[in-house]
Structures are given as structure tokens and as C-alpha cells.
């Protein structure tokens, strides 16, 4: 959807033939509050939350050997997506809002590769969620595929990443920066346009970019996750009903079932946030299939432009909501997060205490490790070797 936004900008600016110094002011106030103020705030939260999730998962070998491997890579891609949103979308709107030639001169140099990486991350994250939900459903129903899914989990993770690389990697060749010599040194000296690959190959534009990419990366994952999520919800309700009459089960069996239900609930909610954040994207995509001319008409172009911005920020909101979901629905993971935070805080506070004690003593470090013969080391020597 980020790529569609650049196409919209081109189509809305051409009829007006903006002078060299005039930015694109179309719905700029609404887009500033949406993409810059709200977008940067939500993206910052997403970067902090998902960086923390990544370190929690990567620091424990059990997570890397469990279905949390999908969530580990999901958190990593979420960090990249949030950072790319600020660098590409927020900065672009900020350029038009402030008419900054300096910002645009920097932005055009990194925009195309950053845009490509963000799209690869979004698609890879989608398929990681698909594989995680499918494995979770198989575990819930004790399907015969569970051992195979567990054994080939790293391969499936690689496949999810390659789905993003293959389907979205060509974006780097689909967008180009056009230079206008008449506007040298001014804001509209650079212009984002479709590349020659898109303009000179209509079949590539139609079948690859429109049909394959929309079906493979938007429609198919959405309806697959919707179907699997409905099955998970149905099975989850059955487990809840059975647990009410399962008092005779052993305590360890009941605890294991409770952990499975907690993990299943978190996957269900994650899928629900994905479905909600991509619902508008599916509506727009289907609309383009049915009547692409009407959506770019003067009556609907404003809705389309703002919808694309809403779709982009909805992806960031969904990614920033994953940490609260994990912490709320998985007690064991919540305690692990608390321990991780405690260890970080204790590590920082202990270092600060060491530095403060050394400053108060005002004794050279070489003197701290020398103690008289026959005497026990002082508290200062213990600080040196902790």
C-alpha cells in the first residue's frame, strides 16, 4: 500500500503542474496529523516494544526451538517496518508540509531501497503469522502434521521470508526518481515516478503487480488467516467447555492444557489484529478489481488517499499491540519479560553504584586491588571484581 500511495501522489499532482517550489498540499493537514504526529508516535512505540520482544525470544534457546521462532522473526520485521514507516511515509509528508529541500534531497537517496525493504517485511510478517497460526491449530487438534511442522519450522520460516523477497523484491526496479533540470535546487527537482519496467511492460504491470501481488500478498493470506482463526476459536471454545468437567485430570496435565490454551488465545488475538488492520486493504483491493476507474475519480480520490495512509498506520498499530497481547495472555512469558526487565534494571543500577562509589572514594583503580597482607579484601576490592 505504500507503493500505491506514491502512485496516487503522482496522479494527483500532474493535472495541476505545480511550480518548482510548490509542494503537494493535497489533504496535507490531515495527512500530517495522521502520518507524522500519530505515525511517528506509534512507530516509536512499536520499535521499543518489538525490540524488547526480540531480545526476550532470542535470549532463550527454548523460544528458538518452539513456535515462538515465528514470533521472533515477526518482531524483527516489525522493527524494520516501523523504522521504514518513519523514514519513508512520515518524512515524505513532513517534506510536503514544511517544503524542505534539504529533507527531500536526503529522502530521495534512501527512499527506494527502504520502501522495498518495508514491503518485503510486511509480506514476510504476514506469512510468518500464517505459519504460526496453522501450526497452532494443528497442535490444538493433535493433527498428524505437528511433528513435521515442528521439524521443518526453520525451513518454513525461510519460506515465509522468501515469499516476501520474491513477491516484493522487484519494487526496487518499479520506482524511479526523475530529475527536472529546470527546477535545480528547488523542491520539485526530484519526482517519484513509475520506472520504465512498469511503463514499457503492461503485462508485468497487470499480471505481476496487480493480479499476482494483490492475490498472493493481500487476499489469500487474509482469507486463510480468517478461516484458520475461526477454526481456532471453535476449538478453543470446546477446550474451555471440556476443562469445566476435567477436575479429575492430573494437575500437570491441566497446567499443560492451560498453557496451550493461553498460547492459542494469544495467536488468535494476533490474527484478529492482523485481520482488522488489513480489512480496509482487502476492501480497496476488491474495489480495484471491480471498478478501478471509479476509485480514482474526483469523488473518491480523497477517500483513497487517506485510506492508504490509514492502512499503512494500521499495520504499525497492529505490530505495536503484540507485546501487550503476549504479556496479557501468556503468564509464563509475562514472568520471563519481568525477569528480563529486572536483570536489565539491576545491571544498569549496579554499574551506576560502582561508578558512584569510585567517584566518592577518589582512589586510583590500581590501589583498589592492593590489600595489606593477612587482611581480607575491603568492600572496594569486591566492587572491582564483581
Amino acid at each position: 500500500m505504500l507503493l500505491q500511495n506514491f502512485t496516487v501522489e503522482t496522479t494527483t499532482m500532474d493535472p495541476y503542474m505545480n511550480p518548482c517550489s510548490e509542494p503537494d498540499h493535497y489533504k496535507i493537514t490531515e495527512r500530517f496529523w495522521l502520518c507524522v504526529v500519530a505515525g511517528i508516535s506509534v512507530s516509536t512505540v512499536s520499535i521499543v516494544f518489538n525490540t524488547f520482544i526480540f531480545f526476550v525470544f532470542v535470549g532463550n534457546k527454548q523460544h528458538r526451538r518452539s513456535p515462538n521462532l515465528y514470533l521472533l522473526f515477526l518482531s524483527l520485521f516489525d522493527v524494520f517496518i516501523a523504522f521504514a514507516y518513519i523514514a519513508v511515509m512520515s518524512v515524505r509528508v513532513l517534506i510536503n508540509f514544511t517544503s524542505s529541500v534539504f529533507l527531500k534531497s536526503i529522502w530521495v537517496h534512501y527512499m527506494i531501497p527502504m520502501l522495498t525493504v518495508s514491503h518485503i517485511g510486511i509480506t514476510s510478517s504476514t506469512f510468518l503469522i500464517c505459519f504460526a497460526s496453522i501450526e497452532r491449530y494443528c497442535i490444538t487438534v493433535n493433527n498428524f502434521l505437528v511433528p513435521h511442522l515442528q521439524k521443518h519450522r526453520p525451513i518454513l520460516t525461510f519460506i515465509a521470508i522468501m515469499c516476501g523477497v520474491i513477491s516484493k523484491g522487484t519494487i526496487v526496479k518499479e520506482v524511479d526518481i526523475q530529475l527536472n533540470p529546470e527546477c535545480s535546487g528547488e523542491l520539485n527537482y526530484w519526482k517519484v515516478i513509475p520506472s520504465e519496467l512498469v511503463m514499457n511492460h503492461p503485462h508485468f504491470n497487470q499480471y505481476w503487480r496487480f493480479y499476482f501481488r494483490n492475490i498472493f500478498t493481500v487476499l489469500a493470506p487474509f482469507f486463510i488467516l480468517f478461516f484458520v482463526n475461526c477454526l481456532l476459536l471453535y476449538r478453543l471454545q470446546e477446550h474451555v467447555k471440556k476443562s469445566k468437567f476435567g477436575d479429575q485430570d492430573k494437575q500437570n496435565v491441566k497446567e499443560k492444557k492451560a498453557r496451550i490454551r493461553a498460547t492459542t488465545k494469544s495467536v488468535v488475538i494476533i490474527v484478529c489484529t492482523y485481520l482488522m488492520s488489513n480489512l480496509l486493504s482487502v476492501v480497496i483491493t476488491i474495489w480495484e478489481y471491480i471498478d478501478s476507474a471509479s476509485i480514482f475519480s474526483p469523488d473518491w480520490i480523497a477517500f483513497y488517499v487517506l485510506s492508504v495512509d490509514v492502512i499503512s498506520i494500521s499495520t504499525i498499530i497492529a505490530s505495536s499491540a503484540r507485546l501487550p497481547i503476549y504479556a496479557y495472555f501468556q503468564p509464563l512469558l509475562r514472568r520471563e519479560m519481568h525477569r528480563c526487565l529486572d536483570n536489565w534494571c539491576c545491571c544498569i543500577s549496579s554499574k551506576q553504584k560502582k561508578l558512584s562509589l569510585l567517584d566518592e572514594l577518589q582512589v586510583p583503580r590500581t590501589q583498589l586491588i592492593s590489600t595489606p597482607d593477612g587482611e581480607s579484601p575491603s568492600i572496594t576490592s569486591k566492587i572491582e571484581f564483581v
Side-chain angles (χ1 to χ4, degrees), residues 299-320:
D299 296 333
W300 292 101
I301 188 64
F303 170 79
Y304 184 81
V305 171
L306 294 178
S307 295
V308 172
D309 289 334
V310 170
I311 291 167
S312 301
I313 196 173
S314 297
T315 303
I316 310 300
I317 294 173
S319 65
S320 63

Side-chain angles (χ1 to χ4, degrees), residues 32-175:
F32 174 80
W33 285 101
L34 185 63
C35 297
V36 179
V37 178
I40 292 178
S41 301
V42 176
S43 297
T44 304
V45 172
S46 179
I47 291 171
V48 173
F49 281 6
N50 285 289
T51 301
F52 175 66
I53 294 172
F54 175 77
F55 281 110
V56 170
F57 284 155
V58 81
N60 191 331
K61 187 181 294 185
Q62 292 181 351
H63 290 306
R64 300 196 298 269
R65 295 179 177 177
S66 72
N68 288 340
L69 178 67
Y70 297 121
L71 305 182
L72 187 154
F73 280 94
L74 180 63
S75 62
L76 182 62
F77 282 117
D78 285 340
V79 173
F80 290 147
I81 294 168
F83 181 77
Y85 181 89
I86 297 175
V88 178
M89 294 294 294
S90 300
V91 172
R92 180 173 67 105
V93 175
L94 188 62
I95 288 169
N96 290 321
F97 189 79
T98 60
S99 302
S100 174
V101 179
F102 174 73
L103 273 180
K104 191 165 187 179
S105 65
I106 299 174
W107 181 78
V108 294
H109 285 90
Y110 69 77
M111 185 275 295
I112 294 177
M114 188 71 73
L115 181 69
T116 306
V117 170
S118 67
H119 273 276
I120 291 173
I122 291 171
T123 303
S124 299
S125 298
T126 300
F127 283 97
L128 286 170
I129 296 174
C130 285
F131 289 141
S133 60
I134 291 171
E135 182 175 340
R136 178 51 50 187
Y137 173 74
C138 292
I139 292 173
T140 304
V141 299
N142 293 322
N143 192 276
F144 70 95
L145 292 175
V146 172
H148 302 284
L149 293 174
Q150 293 175 341
K151 180 180 178 180
H152 298 98
R153 192 179 293 126
I155 298 176
L156 293 175
T157 302
F158 178 76
I159 292 174
I161 297 172
M162 291 308 298
C163 286
V165 173
I166 294 172
S167 62
K168 296 295 182 69
T170 56
I171 289 177
V172 73
K173 297 295 184 180
E174 298 173 17
V175 185

Side-chain angles (χ1 to χ4, degrees), residues 2 12 59 105 176 227 241 253 290 307 312:
L2 292 174
T12 55
S105 65
D176 202 0
F227 178 70
K241 291 179 181 178
V253 176
I290 297 174
S307 295
S312 301

